[in-house]
């Protein structure tokens, strides 16, 4: 399958590669697609909370070495500034790219309500396919997690408005234009295994849904993603390296870049610092990867 798409892309781009170069590129792409964890089902993470392993993507939904709840708090909720905003705002809007197990949202709701019980919360979430037998979070997040899981696909209750859009997010992302999100939790599977949700075109749609002073947050510091965000006019900061060697990314239209010298150098000069592209928002994920790698050439 990979070699077939590779040959198709080479033909379309009128590129000539030696057999040795072709084998090298195919080997690199295959390494990107290699699962980071085998198996499926529940796994206990470092902080004692449980996550699941997704066999299709070969990844766990949360960091095993940091802990699922810890990652939600330190990688998404805290960097997004929504808790601080909830102290004075009547409504907080969250755009959630990758509902997953619903942990990020449950933790976010609990933290918002802990500082202001009267704040209204509006959530628009995307998920390709819901997992079965999602583990219920412990207290103090259990109540809100259960509310989300019992309320599919949408509900409005206790000042919380929630809507889950199932299927390929690319086909539904237009529905979030003008949403005016205070925070975007971009928590799809990793860019090289789930590239269709990290392309320049998809992130451009997300830009249309974020408030001017809103924050886009993610666990990734991937060069294709950061380059796309830069080209779209976002300022970039690091977020904590929770359970990972590198930190994640915090982006906003109202902040200046605050990255270390080496990260800035890579974004400006690395051959890999080019965005994934998906002009039709309908390109096969493998084709997105192959095209990206061929442009690196």
């Amino acid at each position: 399958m990979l070699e077939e798409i590779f040959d198709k892309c080479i033909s379309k781009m009128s590129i000539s590669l030696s057999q040795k170069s072709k084998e090298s590129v195919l080997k690199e792409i295959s390494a990107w697609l290699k699962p980071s964890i085998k198996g499926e089902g529940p796994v206990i993470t470092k902080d004692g909370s449980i996550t699941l392993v997704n066999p299709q993507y070969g990844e766990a939904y949360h960091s095993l070495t940091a802990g699922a709840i810890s990652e939600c708090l330190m990688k998404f909720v805290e960097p997004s500034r929504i808790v601080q905003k909830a102290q004075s705002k009547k409504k907080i809007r969250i755009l959630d790219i990758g509902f997953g197990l619903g942990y990020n949202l449950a933790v976010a709701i609990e933290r918002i309500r802990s500082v202001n019980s009267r704040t209204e919360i509006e959530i628009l979430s995307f998920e390709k396919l819901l997992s079965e037998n999602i583990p219920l979070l412990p207290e103090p997040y259990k109540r809100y997690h259960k509310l989300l899981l019992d309320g599919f696909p949408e509900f409005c209750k206790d000042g919380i408005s929630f809507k889950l859009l199932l299927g390929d997010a690319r086909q539904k992302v237009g529905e979030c234009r003008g949403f005016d999100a205070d925070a975007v939790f971009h928590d799809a599977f990793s860019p090289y295994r789930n590239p269709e949700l990290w392309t320049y075109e998809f992130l451009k749609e997300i830009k249309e849904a974020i408030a001017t002073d809103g924050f886009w947050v993610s666990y990734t510091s991937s060069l294709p993603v950061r380059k796309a965000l830069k080209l779209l006019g976002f300022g970039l900061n690091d977020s904590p390296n929770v359970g990972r060697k590198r930190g994640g990314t915090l982006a906003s239209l109202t902040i200046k870049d605050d990255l270390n010298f080496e990260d800035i150098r890579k974004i400006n000069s690395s051959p890999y610092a080019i965005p994934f592209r998906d002009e039709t928002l309908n390109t096969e994920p493998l084709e997105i990867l192959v095209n990206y790698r061929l442009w690196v050439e």
Side-chain angles (χ1 to χ4, degrees), residues 23-270:
E23 290 173 358
S24 175
V25 172
L26 286 172
K27 183 178 180 180
E28 186 172 2
I29 296 173
S30 296
W32 293 342
L33 297 170
K34 186 177 180 181
S36 59
I37 184 170
K38 295 181 180 180
E40 59 183 298
V43 181
I44 298 176
T45 67
K46 186 177 180 180
D47 64 8
S49 54
I50 299 172
T51 191
L52 298 180
V53 174
N54 185 298
Q56 178 183 352
Y57 291 97
E59 294 183 343
Y61 282 90
H62 303 90
S63 169
L64 304 183
T65 54
I69 293 175
S70 297
E71 183 178 44
C72 294
L73 281 168
M74 294 186 281
K75 191 70 84 175
F76 290 94
V77 177
E78 292 176 1
S80 72
R81 315 289 205 271
I82 54 173
V83 177
Q84 295 94 316
K85 287 183 178 181
Q87 295 175 7
S88 57
K89 287 196 71 170
K90 293 182 179 180
K91 177 181 279 191
I92 295 292
R93 292 184 175 89
I94 301 172
L95 181 60
D96 181 48
I97 310 299
F99 177 83
L101 308 184
Y103 287 11
N104 285 336
L105 294 178
V107 171
I109 294 170
E110 190 281 331
R111 296 310 303 144
I112 290 169
R113 287 293 170 85
S114 73
V115 299
N116 190 342
S117 61
R118 302 178 69 178
T119 299
E120 295 180 24
I121 304 170
E122 184 177 358
I123 299 166
L124 185 57
S125 184
F126 293 83
E127 180 57 49
K128 187 174 185 179
L129 182 65
L130 282 174
S131 295
E132 297 180 357
N133 303 315
I134 294 176
L136 200 59
L137 284 170
E139 298 294 357
Y141 313 108
K142 183 177 181 179
R143 170 192 171 191
Y144 297 113
H145 194 209
K146 191 173 188 303
L147 182 67
L148 292 168
L149 297 181
D150 290 346
F152 294 139
E154 60 183 296
F155 67 84
C156 188
K157 184 178 180 180
D158 299 333
I160 300 170
S161 171
F162 171 76
K163 184 176 182 179
L164 178 67
L165 297 174
L166 281 170
D168 189 336
R170 294 177 296 175
Q171 308 310 312
K172 301 174 184 289
V173 69
E175 295 185 35
C176 71
R177 287 183 183 176
F179 183 67
D180 212 26
D182 294 287
V184 177
F185 295 165
H186 205 120
D187 198 16
F189 287 104
S190 61
Y192 290 94
R193 296 194 188 96
N194 195 190
E196 67 272 27
L197 297 190
W198 302 95
T199 65
Y200 173 88
E201 287 76 15
F202 188 78
L203 289 168
K204 185 178 181 181
E205 291 289 334
I206 299 302
K207 180 183 177 182
E208 298 301 316
I210 190 170
T212 304
D213 61 347
F215 286 89
W216 179 99
V217 289
S218 184
Y219 61 86
T220 189
S221 57
S222 167
L223 280 175
V225 177
R226 284 188 164 183
K227 187 69 170 187
L229 290 167
K230 280 300 302 172
L231 292 174
L232 288 167
F234 287 90
L236 306 180
N237 287 190
D238 284 318
S239 63
N241 57 335
V242 184
R244 297 169 179 266
K245 292 181 180 179
R246 293 177 54 80
T249 302
L250 171 71
S252 177
L253 298 168
T254 57
I255 62 173
K256 295 181 179 180
D257 289 341
D258 189 18
L259 301 174
N260 64 49
F261 176 81
E262 181 61 17
D263 283 344
I264 293 172
R265 184 193 67 79
K266 287 180 179 178
I267 291 172
N268 290 333
S269 62
S270 170

